[in-house]
Amino acid sequence: EGGDMSVAELMALYKEAKARFDAEDDFKARARDAVVALQAGDEISLQAWQRICATSRKEFDAIYAQLGIEGLTERGESFYNPMLKETVQTLTDAGLVVESDGAQCIFSEDKPDGPPLIVRKSDGGFNYASTDLAAVRHRVEAERADWVIYVTDSGQNLHFKGVFDAARRAGFLERSDGDGDGLAPVRLDHCGFGLVLGEDGKRFRTRSTEVVRLADLLDEAKSRCLAQFEERGEASAVQGADAEAAAEAMGYGAVKYADLKNKKEGNYTFSFDRMLDLKGNTAVYLLYAHARVCSIVRKSGRTLEEVRALPAEALKVTEPTERALALHLLKFQDVAAEALNELAMNRITDYLYELASAFTDFYGECKVVTGEKATEDSRLMLCAATLVVMRQCFDLLGIEALERL
């Protein structure tokens, strides 16, 4: 009753309810009945649920704004509620549904004795499987999806394997190609990710064992970057006069990069010290490397656009480090395609780090601003190509590239 609840209050309520659900049979039964009532459109249940959604949405929107995420279309579970009965009926008509202990189930063709995918519970309620299958149909038929990627923790691998198998067998993964020539296949992928661990090797939490909020991590990363600028006497020189904006870009970028550079299925240990290190495979090191290349181009007295406008024949690769850098730049298109196909952003982070290393080797051996036009033009072209590709990588990773540090 009363005013809006905060997310902290909702989390406390959830923890208390989960404890009672696990410990009290009567509470468990009432909770399950409440879910059925909500799915059936009970007015009081809907009002309570809408208040919870409004509070959650406000928190999500704040994070999206913090990370610069725009253009999302909300499709919560409730969006698919009107489609659940029809979806289960379609699965039944396709001969996939079998009743087992009062529940409607789909058994795997590969492992018919294994645990089934339950599409309707014995109490008549629907669940994640029925919602996910309804969502597949809608995304293919209404939204005309070619490729649907599900990003959740790896613990849901088995669930999505069952959902994808059922969708395939039901014929949900083919749709009209739009020109009347036949059916186009639709690709489904589960992009499962591992756990974020604390320094103690356990699931990352606060000292009071609470879940760590992403907003708090981003704020802390920004604060630490700003402190580093001040310690190094860079606060007034970084990104013009706006050191705070640069600290935000670097801090947020460091958190993103530390997460994406790991193989998505594996666990990794969260450490501010490591992710904000000036050396090694970190966003901080790479942003400084990018700023260093920008500085070299500026010292030449030319703009990046002027260098990019130079004719292709001006490029003369003669030194080994020039050749190594040029060859690495040529790999970018293939690496980007592989990263997309494998849903492996660590391919991009590895490539970007190797590119920065190749440029460091090149710059250590080859003077760029020489005063000799032919040599300078050629080497500035390598600098310009490096900047273009680095910025493409940063863009793919959702990191803002900084020109002055």
Side-chain angles (χ1 to χ4, degrees):
E1 300 293 335
D4 293 336
M5 299 181 73
S6 68
V7 168
E9 289 171 324
L10 284 178
M11 291 174 66
L13 179 63
Y14 171 79
K15 288 180 66 176
E16 182 181 350
K18 180 66 168 66
R20 292 188 63 185
F21 184 90
D22 292 339
E24 304 174 25
D25 290 339
D26 178 63
F27 185 88
K28 181 182 294 186
R30 287 190 290 121
R32 287 174 170 164
D33 290 343
V35 172
V36 175
L38 176 61
Q39 291 176 337
D42 176 70
E43 189 63 31
I44 295 177
S45 300
L46 281 172
Q47 289 177 4
W49 166 76
Q50 287 166 352
R51 288 176 59 201
I52 292 171
C53 286
T55 298
S56 299
R57 189 177 294 112
K58 185 177 180 181
E59 182 84 357
F60 297 153
D61 286 344
I63 286 291
Y64 296 151
Q66 201 170 1
L67 294 175
I69 297 171
E70 300 175 343
L72 296 180
T73 300
E74 184 178 293
R75 290 282 189 267
E77 288 180 55
S78 60
F79 177 83
Y80 303 101
N81 279 351
M83 312 171 198
L84 299 181
K85 287 184 180 180
E86 181 189 352
T87 298
V88 173
Q89 186 59 53
T90 300
L91 294 165
T92 302
D93 293 343
L96 302 181
V97 177
V98 176
E99 185 168 318
S100 178
D101 295 328
Q104 293 178 286
C105 308
I106 298 177
F107 288 86
S108 168
E109 287 182 316
D110 296 334
K111 296 182 179 180
D113 297 330
L117 187 73
I118 300 174
V119 294
R120 194 163 192 176
K121 298 179 288 184
S122 58
D123 60 9
F126 298 100
N127 59 6
Y128 288 131
S130 37
T131 301
D132 284 334
L133 285 163
V136 170
R137 288 187 75 200
H138 183 268
R139 288 163 182 161
V140 172
E141 296 175 5
E143 301 195 26
R144 310 293 295 169
D146 299 304
W147 187 1
V148 185
I149 303 169
Y150 295 76
V151 183
T152 74
D153 68 281
S154 296
Q156 297 191 47
N157 283 342
L158 187 61
H159 166 78
F160 281 109
K161 183 178 180 181
V163 168
F164 295 171
D165 179 65
R168 176 188 58 79
R169 291 162 62 193
F172 292 173
L173 302 187
E174 292 183 332
R175 61 165 175 77
S176 168
D177 60 11
D179 57 13
D181 290 337
L183 297 176
V186 177
R187 176 175 169 179
L188 301 184
D189 277 301
H190 177 221
C191 185
F193 54 81
L195 298 176
V196 181
L197 307 177
E199 298 282 5
D200 58 0
K202 299 179 181 178
R203 188 188 290 263
F204 190 39
R205 296 183 182 277
T206 66
R207 290 182 180 179
S208 56
T209 72
E210 296 293 330
V211 174
V212 180
R213 297 173 68 247
L214 176 58
D216 295 336
L217 293 180
L218 295 172
D219 289 342
E220 177 68 14
K222 175 183 173 181
S223 296
R224 291 189 181 217
C225 284
L226 194 56
Q228 286 184 354
F229 292 161
E230 292 170 351
E231 287 173 10
R232 292 193 295 269
E234 299 174 344
S236 61
V238 170
Q239 194 75 344
D242 197 354
E244 186 162 329
E248 181 175 291
M250 182 174 287
Y252 293 2
V255 174
K256 292 179 183 180
Y257 192 89
D259 188 79
L260 295 173
K261 77 174 184 178
N262 299 280
K263 289 185 177 179
K264 61 181 182 292
E265 303 87 353
N267 303 335
Y268 76 92
T269 300
F270 187 95
S271 168
F272 277 120
D273 290 340
R274 283 196 289 273
M275 71 174 58
L276 298 176
D277 198 334
L278 279 167
K279 300 177 182 178
N281 191 6
T282 68
V284 175
Y285 165 75
L286 293 166
L287 287 169
Y288 272 96
H290 174 269
R292 184 167 63 251
V293 186
C294 291
S295 176
I296 295 167
V297 175
R298 282 196 302 273
K299 286 178 181 177
S300 73
R302 289 185 257 184
T303 66
L304 178 61
E305 290 71 26
E306 289 172 336
V307 176
R308 293 187 67 186
L310 289 169
E313 55 268 23
L315 181 64
K316 307 293 183 183
V317 176
T318 58
E319 298 298 324
T321 54
E322 291 178 310
R323 178 179 173 80
L325 176 59
L327 288 174
H328 194 73
L329 288 165
L330 291 173
K331 294 178 182 177
F332 173 66
Q333 186 172 349
D334 289 339
V335 170
E338 290 168 359
L340 176 63
N341 188 56
E342 299 171 14
L343 301 177
M345 293 307 292
N346 62 296
R347 290 267 194 174
I348 301 295
T349 60
D350 289 347
Y351 172 85
L352 180 55
Y353 179 61
E354 290 165 3
L355 175 58
S357 299
F359 184 86
T360 297
D361 292 342
F362 154 72
Y363 189 58
E365 295 292 330
C366 301
K367 187 176 181 181
V368 175
V369 183
T370 64
E372 196 281 306
K373 189 175 187 311
T375 300
E376 185 171 305
D377 283 356
S378 179
R379 290 176 179 174
L380 280 172
M381 290 175 74
L382 285 174
C383 292
T386 299
L387 284 177
V388 169
V389 174
M390 289 187 83
R391 289 174 185 180
Q392 286 276 6
C393 291
F394 283 132
D395 188 56
L396 289 171
L397 297 169
I399 296 173
E400 179 184 350
L402 301 173
E403 295 187 13
R404 296 177 184 270
L405 283 170

